Amino acid sequence: MRLTQGTFSFLPDLSDEQLTAQIAYCLANGWALSIEYTDDPHPRNTYWEMFGQPMFDLPDAAGVLAEVADARRTFPDRYIKLNAFDSTRGIESLRLSIIVNRPRREPGFALVRTEAAGRQIRYALRSYAADRPEGERYG
């Protein structure tokens, strides 16, 4: 199952050349960039682990792409995303989020059905990745 969270997630993964163009677009708009990673990509897990420091006032895309490459080397079997934040309205608003790395095998999610009082039926998503301990979920 292919995880489809963020910008361009329904398309094939971006090449480094395409990613550089997106980074240049973000920088041209004055957006701050950050890199995050996780091994539990549940849709409600919006706060992934930060890789390095947020990148403000960068002159070109090469520095960001170098950080992405470093994150890929450090966590080759985890999800890694690049986020772009816009602060023009006085708050950091997420403008763009691109998955730039995926595990070799994406286990997907299960839909869990629970029957409750009064014939209510509740549904929840459970990540198959969470069946194994953190750090051992992919491989």
Side-chain angles (χ1 to χ4, degrees):
M1 175 184 170
R2 182 178 170 83
L3 184 67
T4 53
Q5 296 178 17
T7 312
F8 309 120
S9 62
F10 289 92
L11 299 174
D13 291 337
L14 299 179
S15 67
D16 282 352
E17 181 180 338
Q18 293 168 323
L19 184 57
T20 299
Q22 294 303 317
I23 293 169
Y25 174 79
C26 295
L27 295 176
N29 282 290
W31 299 343
L33 297 162
S34 68
I35 299 171
E36 298 178 346
Y37 65 94
T38 190
D39 65 352
D40 181 13
H42 190 284
R44 290 193 178 159
N45 179 12
T46 57
Y47 299 106
W48 294 11
E49 299 294 324
M50 185 77 102
F51 183 84
Q53 298 294 318
M55 295 167 266
F56 301 96
D57 301 324
L58 295 175
D60 64 31
V64 179
L65 197 59
E67 286 293 312
V68 167
D70 190 27
R72 287 173 173 163
R73 278 190 303 276
T74 305
F75 299 108
D77 284 328
R78 301 224 179 151
Y79 289 96
I80 300 172
K81 68 180 173 181
L82 177 68
N83 298 314
F85 294 93
D86 179 7
S87 64
T88 56
R89 297 186 182 189
I91 58 171
E92 292 289 329
S93 300
L94 183 64
R95 293 292 183 181
L96 190 79
S97 180
I98 304 171
I99 294 178
V100 296
N101 194 72
R102 298 169 180 277
R104 286 178 299 229
R105 185 183 64 82
E106 296 183 79
F109 297 88
L111 182 63
V112 180
R113 175 181 160 161
T114 306
E115 296 185 21
R119 299 180 62 165
Q120 291 181 347
I121 299 174
R122 296 189 177 127
Y123 294 93
L125 287 176
R126 183 183 60 76
S127 171
Y128 288 121
D131 289 343
R132 297 175 67 188
E134 184 176 353
E136 298 176 14
R137 293 179 176 161
Y138 300 101

